[in-house]
């Protein structure tokens, strides 16, 4: 028994958060990469009929190979016919080269962003050396040590969606629900109604501070509310353990709190950095990577003043990473 209900409505996800394959429902598995910090993303596997669906393909070649082997373990000779990349961050699609035989879905926006290949992992060490600040340089060096791109090449989505689309995989319905711009410009949720499972990508960071690259925050909250409205038994987050309703509600509360603080400081004439310095994270201070709130605050400022000056990526990362232990 993986799930049990308490007080009627609340579902407690009892799926352990251990590296690798974890069964979450009939034929449905989450692949976890604890502790789920930078670049360590979750994947999903759904085995149905004689087909397999994979959601997100891991960040590097060895991790993608491990995921591929895990599919064989639970699905035997069944064919991987469908892959979904939930968005364009590398930790969710760099492993596509191990799944080339499948149709690979993403939103139009995400696919376009992937094709830009702004952060080519093959040159990550060079990028680290050229980083304009010490925090970003150290971080990229850590990433270069952490992930292995030997033999890597980009494999892009073969199919794009711009509105909700239902697929049939091995006889069961799989709904792709675009919800961006939110975490990035082109996020998509994957809903498997028959098993009550949502693979949320980075719309859901579970009990760890979310990164909101694009925003608006209200779209992330709306996407979370949409997930709740699907009444899933389990939500596989992009980073962190499997989530239940309470975890999604906490995330909404956190984003609402950040939005309120940033809006008030914007109205008072503070810079986004000043708003970052003055925020009281309250009970969310226990979530790892708390300094990511700086980018969420920037997203609110962008929403309130679209023509205002944007804090450039490397400056955001200098501030966020200077306060982060990875
Ligand atoms: Zn991610």
């Amino acid at each position: 028994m993986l799930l049990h209900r308490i007080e009627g409505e609340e579902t407690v996800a009892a799926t352990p958060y251990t590296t690798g394959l974890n069964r979450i429902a009939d034929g449905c598995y989450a692949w976890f990469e604890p502790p789920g910090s930078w670049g360590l993303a979750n994947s999903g596997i759904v085995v149905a009929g004689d087909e397999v669906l994979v959601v997100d393909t891991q960040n590097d070649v060895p991790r993608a190979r491990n995921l591929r082997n895990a599919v064989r373990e639970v699905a035997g000779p069944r064919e991987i016919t469908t892959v979904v990349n939930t968005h364009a961050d590398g930790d969710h699609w760099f492993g596509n080269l191990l799944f080339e035989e499948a149709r690979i879905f993403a939103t139009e926006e995400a696919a376009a962003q992937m094709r830009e290949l702004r952060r080519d992992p093959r040159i990550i060490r060079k990028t680290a050396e050229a980083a304009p600040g010490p925090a970003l340089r150290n971080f990229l060096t850590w990433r270069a040590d952490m992930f292995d791109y030997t033999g890597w090449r980009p494999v892009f989505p073969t199919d794009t969606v711009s509105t909700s689309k239902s697929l049939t995989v091995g006889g069961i319905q799989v709904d792709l629900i675009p919800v961006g711009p939110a975490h990035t410009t082109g996020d998509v949720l994957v809903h498997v109604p028959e098993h009550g499972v949502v693979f949320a990508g980075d719309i859901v960071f579970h009990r760890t501070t979310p990164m909101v690259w694009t925003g608006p925050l209200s779209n992330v909250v709306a996407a979370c509310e949409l997930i709740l409205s699907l009444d899933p038994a389990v939500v596989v987050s992009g980073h962190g353990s499997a989530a239940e309703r309470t975890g999604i509600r906490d995330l909404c509360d956190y984003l609402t709190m950040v939005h309120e603080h940033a809006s008030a400081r914007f109205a008072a004439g503070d810079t986004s950095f000043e708003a970052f310095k003055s925020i009281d994270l309250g009970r969310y201070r226990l979530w790892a990577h708390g300094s990511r709130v700086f980018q969420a605050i920037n997203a609110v400022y962008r929403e309130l003043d679209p023509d205002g000056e944007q804090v450039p990526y490397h400056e955001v990362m200098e501030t966020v990473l200077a306060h982060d232990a990875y």
Side-chain angles (χ1 to χ4, degrees):
M1 179 87 166
L2 291 163
L3 300 167
H4 51 272
R5 289 195 175 259
I6 50 168
E7 289 170 15
E9 192 216 2
E10 291 300 320
T11 301
V12 177
T15 310
Y17 185 45
T18 52
T19 303
L21 208 58
N22 290 270
R23 183 181 172 279
I24 50 169
D26 251 5
C28 299
Y29 303 84
W31 177 276
F32 292 132
E33 287 282 329
S37 60
W38 300 91
L40 293 170
N42 298 332
S43 295
I45 299 169
V46 178
V47 183
D50 55 2
E51 294 185 50
V52 181
L53 160 76
V54 171
V55 181
D56 289 340
T57 56
Q58 292 295 310
N59 195 341
D60 68 358
V61 177
R63 284 179 174 78
R65 192 172 293 121
N66 288 343
L67 177 65
R68 171 96 211 187
N69 290 340
V71 171
R72 196 162 297 131
E73 203 181 292
V74 292
R78 291 178 183 86
E79 200 185 335
I80 301 168
T81 54
T82 314
V83 166
V84 181
N85 296 137
T86 56
H87 60 289
D89 287 351
D91 48 344
H92 300 261
W93 75 274
F94 280 169
N96 282 2
L97 74 161
L98 268 296
F99 300 89
E100 245 182 320
E101 77 276 29
R103 290 176 76 183
I104 303 177
F105 289 85
T107 64
E108 267 172 30
E109 294 82 358
Q113 218 183 327
M114 291 173 197
R115 285 178 185 284
E116 283 176 32
L117 208 55
R118 266 186 289 174
R119 294 187 192 99
D120 189 329
R122 290 168 292 194
I123 53 164
I124 187 168
R125 224 169 267 284
K126 256 193 217 151
T127 314
E129 284 160 19
L136 185 56
R137 192 175 314 129
N138 289 340
F139 172 71
L140 290 174
T141 304
W142 171 79
R143 280 190 90 139
D145 292 339
M146 180 89 179
F147 299 104
D148 181 356
Y149 298 103
T150 309
W152 187 84
R153 65 192 157 75
V155 170
F156 300 111
T158 57
D159 293 73
T160 58
V161 294
S162 51
T163 54
S164 292
K165 184 183 178 75
S166 289
L167 309 174
T168 304
V169 179
I172 68 165
Q173 186 183 330
V174 174
D175 297 329
L176 309 186
I177 311 170
V179 290
H183 167 69
T184 60
T185 54
D187 311 284
V188 65
L189 305 172
V190 181
H191 181 213
V192 187
E194 185 166 320
H195 297 303
V197 174
V198 173
F199 297 98
D202 285 1
I203 292 299
V204 175
F205 285 70
H206 190 225
R207 303 210 190 287
T208 181
T209 308
M211 191 58 168
V212 184
W213 291 116
T214 308
L217 268 61
S218 54
N219 280 5
V220 185
V221 172
C224 288
E225 276 163 5
L226 195 152
I227 292 171
L228 291 172
S229 76
L230 299 171
D231 197 23
V234 61
V235 177
V236 177
S237 62
H239 297 262
S241 55
E244 76 289 4
R245 299 180 71 84
T246 323
I248 310 282
R249 284 205 197 97
D250 278 350
L251 176 59
C252 291
D253 289 349
Y254 167 87
L255 293 166
T256 305
M257 178 272 291
V258 173
H259 197 279
E260 281 170 7
H261 172 81
S263 302
R265 295 330 303 161
F266 176 84
D270 283 3
T271 63
S272 62
F273 186 72
E274 287 164 338
F276 166 65
K277 283 300 192 190
S278 64
I279 194 164
D280 175 4
L281 292 172
R283 66 191 177 105
Y284 299 110
R285 74 191 181 287
L286 297 175
W287 285 1
H289 315 294
S291 55
R292 286 175 180 171
V293 75
F294 182 45
Q295 178 64 347
I297 291 169
N298 283 314
V300 177
Y301 271 58
R302 201 159 44 240
E303 187 185 334
L304 296 172
D305 183 15
D307 300 323
E309 206 183 315
Q310 309 290 319
V311 184
Y313 169 78
H314 70 269
E315 279 181 30
V316 171
M317 292 304 273
E318 273 306 303
T319 296
V320 169
L321 295 168
H323 297 80
D324 192 303
Y326 312 153

